[in-house]
Structure formats: structure tokens, C-alpha cells
Amino acid sequence: MTEQKVYPFAAQRRSGNIKNTVYWELDSVKETGDHPAAAPVLRSEADERAITAAADMLREGGTVAFPTETVYGLGADARNTSAVEAVFAAKGRPSDNPLIVHIAQRADLDDLVTEVHPVGAALIDAFWPGPLTLVLPVRPGVLSPLVTAGLDTVGVRMPDHPLALALLSAAGCPVAAPSANRSGRPSPTLAAHVMEDLAGYIGGVLDGGAAGVGLESTVVQVQPDGTVAVLRPGGITAEQLAAVAGAGAVDTAPAAAVDFAGAAAGPSAARAEADAGTGSGSAFGQPAGAVQAAGNGSPAPRAPGMKYTHYAPHGWLGVVRGVSPQRVAETAADLLQAAQRNGEVTGLLLFEEHRALYPAVPAACVVSLGSLDSPEEGARSLYAALRRFDEAGATYILAEACPEAGLGAAIMNRLMKAAGGSVIDAG
């Protein structure tokens, strides 16, 4: 296995040689509004020039953030080690965390992998283009070893976004692209989020409007017996996978086998890790019942999102669960009031049908993920919601848990990663 190499974001800020980030705003986005992926895209000549310029930048070894139907990705030529290294450096991403390779057409897959299991081929037929990544045996010597983290597999997907597909086609190369945010931060669903985190550290940003799904792709690996192991839940649900692979053929257990960073140790530790050297941290200790999570001693993961704390706001975040919404609301309200008395700036992430269970002003910043009956809305708005707490300066945040069926599994996976595994049991 290759030696792990971590690029601290602060070091990149001091030493990076990228002075300006090119920003391309497309005419098609202005015409179609916030969800261009949901409508036909009629690109102008100016749009075509922007896509060509971004593709040229990729081919020349630069880094370009671009929209997909899930989140914005930070792309680099997956064959070019120096280009891929620039992605790790800009994000401050540990190099034992593999990258997903994006392709424009099904035929491109043959150049990257040695074989595709028949069940994998059926999943491709059903869900490509779309938010599904397959982990497959990589063809030796084709990709930079940084892309695979030294493993013998690679995750590949074909995004369902017209601008992403246009960029990939114009670039003519496989593009490795993790989410276009600083490592550990909430993933970007708008170009503005990318600029907030990475402006000045990457080559360019192609603004395609808001991402449609809002959560990263589902990552699966088909086993020799045809079982589909879900390594990371996402935009394609376990129920959808089972409809193709067969009842009982989908194993979601690997998705739970994640390691969390030390941020689960409580508000003080979380803030010390997020804002090292900027303050003494919170005096408000970890709530009773919070689950302590394990360290990061496991080998390199097969897919992104299986290791480390991700998606985290600057403040401490805990997930509250219980036998009823009433118990969850009562526990959360009490903890938020106690935190406020201790000088915390509080935040609450809830579902709309539970709002009436809380006091009129339960926290300084209250954000709704919409209705539990519309998990798509929660998925689309989750990362933007976490960034809202940062804008409000929230230091102590509680989030309601949701049922882990359908897209709820992906929402809870991201919340648990953002919370570093901190769970408050309301009973």
C-alpha cells in the first residue's frame, strides 16, 4: 500500500501557486433557473466556449469544479498523477481515500476495468447515467495510483447532468472527481459553495446551477456470488438496487462499517479540530447518551465516505433519536436551552411536521429539511443547511434523526458522518 500523505489545507493556502480561479457562468443556467439538470439545456456559443475552456484546462493538467446531479465535483485527469495530487492538495484530503472516476459514455468503462459482473452490468443498464458508482477491478497502469489509493479496484460512474457529460466528452479523458469542497466540510450543491471553500486553490469553476439530488452517489461492489454490497448509500436506494439485483441480493451492512474521527469526543474536541488554534473550545460537555466513535485505524477504504468525519459544520453536531418525535423534541429543546445558558450559539435541524413540538424559538438558528414524506427535499437541502449553521456562527447544533428507509438511509449516513458518530438517545 502507498504511504498515506496528508495535505493540510492551511499549508496549501500559504504555498499554493494558483492565483485566480476562473469562473464560468453559463447562459443556460440563467435561462433555466436553479435546477438546470431538470430541463433541456440549450447551450449558447458562449456556453460552448466555456465548456471547451474547462475541458482544455482538464487536459492540460488543471483542476476544474463542475456540476453533477449529486453535488459539485473537483475534477482532474485521472491518468495524470500531478493533476490528481493537486486535487488532494486543494482539498486537504488524505491520500488513502480513493477517488471516483467519471466517464461520459458506457464504452469508456472498458478502458478502465478488466471485467464487469453480470449483475453489475444490469445495474449499469438500469441506473447509468445516474447517481450510482460501481467499484470494479482496475486495469493496471491506466490510472494514477493516487486515484485508487493503491488498491486493485476503482469506483466509476456516469453522471446524469448535461453539463457534466458535455465537459467529460470535450475533455476526452477519465476524470477523477471527489466533492469540490475542503475535506471534511459539507459537500457543495451550488457553485457558490465551491467558491467559498476553494476559490484561489483550483483552476476553474463551471457554474451549472443547483445540484438536483444533493447527496453523493450510491457506491456498490458486486461480489462474486452476485450480492451487491452497498459501500455508501446515496441517490440510488437499496430498494431500487434490489429491484434489479433481486430480493435479498443487496447487503447494506458495509455502509455501516465506517470509522469516525475524534470529533465524537464532544463539542470542545470537535471545535478544536475544525478551528485549530482559534479558541479554547466549548465549555459545554458532551451530552449524556452520546455515542463515542472509533478512531481511524482501519485500512484504506474501497470507496469514499467509508472513513473519516465528513460533511461537518464548524460547530459541534449531535444527532437526536428516540421512540417518538415528542421525546426527541423534548430532549433536544432541553439540551439547546442548557447550551444557550452556557454561552453556545445554538442550531437545530428538524423536519417540518415536528416544528410545532418545539418552543417558539428553540435555537438561534433553526433549519428545516422539509417533510419526512418528501426525503428528496431533505437530501437536496442537507448540505446547504449545514452551511447555514456556519453562516449563523452556530457552535452547538442538534439534528433530528429520520427513518433509514429509501433516501433516509443516505441522509442518516451523512448526518452521522457530519456528527462524527455522536448520537443522543432521547429514550
Side-chain angles (χ1 to χ4, degrees), residues 2-357:
T2 58
E3 181 182 356
Q4 179 174 339
K5 191 174 184 181
V6 178
Y7 300 88
F9 185 78
Q12 176 68 4
R13 179 191 296 270
R14 291 192 298 269
S15 63
N17 58 9
I18 299 175
K19 301 301 183 184
N20 295 297
T21 295
V22 181
Y23 174 76
W24 296 284
E25 184 178 15
L26 304 188
D27 290 338
S28 55
V29 174
K30 300 174 187 176
E31 295 169 2
T32 57
D34 288 339
H35 297 284
V41 175
L42 303 175
R43 294 191 298 272
S44 66
E45 290 185 7
D47 287 356
E48 296 287 1
R49 287 194 297 271
I51 292 169
T52 298
D56 290 343
M57 188 176 287
L58 287 173
R59 278 197 305 272
E60 293 166 3
T63 53
V64 175
F66 63 96
T68 76
E69 81 281 21
T70 58
V71 298
Y72 274 72
L74 176 56
D77 185 343
R79 306 165 302 183
N80 185 331
T81 292
S82 63
V84 175
E85 192 172 38
V87 170
F88 282 95
K91 284 178 59 69
R93 181 184 176 101
S95 62
D96 69 342
N97 205 359
L99 305 181
I100 291 172
V101 175
H102 295 65
I103 59 176
Q105 54 188 351
R106 171 67 174 81
D108 295 338
L109 185 62
D110 297 333
D111 295 331
L112 303 180
V113 304
T114 58
E115 63 177 333
V116 179
H117 192 283
V119 173
L123 293 174
I124 288 172
D125 291 340
F127 300 116
W128 277 17
L132 179 69
T133 295
L134 279 85
V135 174
L136 300 163
V138 66
R139 194 174 291 279
V142 172
L143 301 174
S144 165
L146 288 178
V147 171
T148 62
L151 300 172
D152 59 358
T153 56
V154 63
V156 186
R157 88 176 188 98
M158 184 192 306
D160 187 17
H161 193 292
L163 297 181
L165 293 174
L167 176 64
L168 295 169
S169 295
C173 63
V175 173
S179 56
N181 58 296
R182 194 175 69 186
S183 189
R185 295 276 291 127
S187 297
T189 54
L190 293 170
H193 297 159
V194 180
M195 296 294 287
E196 177 184 336
D197 278 8
L198 298 178
Y201 314 126
I202 62 176
V205 177
L206 192 62
D207 187 348
V213 176
L215 296 178
E216 294 84 356
S217 63
T218 301
V219 181
V220 303
Q221 185 172 25
V222 179
Q223 307 302 313
D225 64 356
T227 301
V228 179
V230 179
L231 305 182
R232 181 183 73 185
I236 300 298
T237 67
E239 293 83 356
Q240 289 174 294
L241 294 170
V244 175
V250 177
D251 178 12
T252 59
V258 295
D259 291 327
F260 295 107
S268 299
R271 195 160 313 118
E273 179 176 295
D275 301 319
T278 61
S280 60
S282 169
F284 192 69
Q286 180 169 348
V291 174
Q292 296 275 342
N296 283 305
S298 64
R302 288 277 169 184
M306 296 186 71
K307 229 183 154 181
Y308 310 106
T309 299
H310 289 291
Y311 325 117
H314 291 313
W316 183 84
L317 172 65
V319 178
V320 186
R321 65 186 179 194
V323 296
S324 70
Q326 184 71 45
R327 293 289 292 273
V328 168
E330 291 172 354
T331 298
D334 288 346
L335 288 170
L336 289 166
Q337 289 175 5
Q340 186 172 8
R341 288 194 298 270
N342 280 275
E344 302 282 357
V345 178
T346 55
L348 173 64
L349 188 63
L350 50 68
F351 291 92
E352 194 59 36
E353 46 263 69
H354 301 158
R355 189 185 289 269
L357 300 176

Side-chain angles (χ1 to χ4, degrees), residues 384-408:
L386 295 177
R387 288 176 179 265
R388 281 270 304 279
F389 292 123
D390 289 345
E391 294 168 4
T395 59
Y396 181 88
I397 308 160
L398 297 179
E400 293 184 339
C402 70
E404 296 189 45
L407 271 177

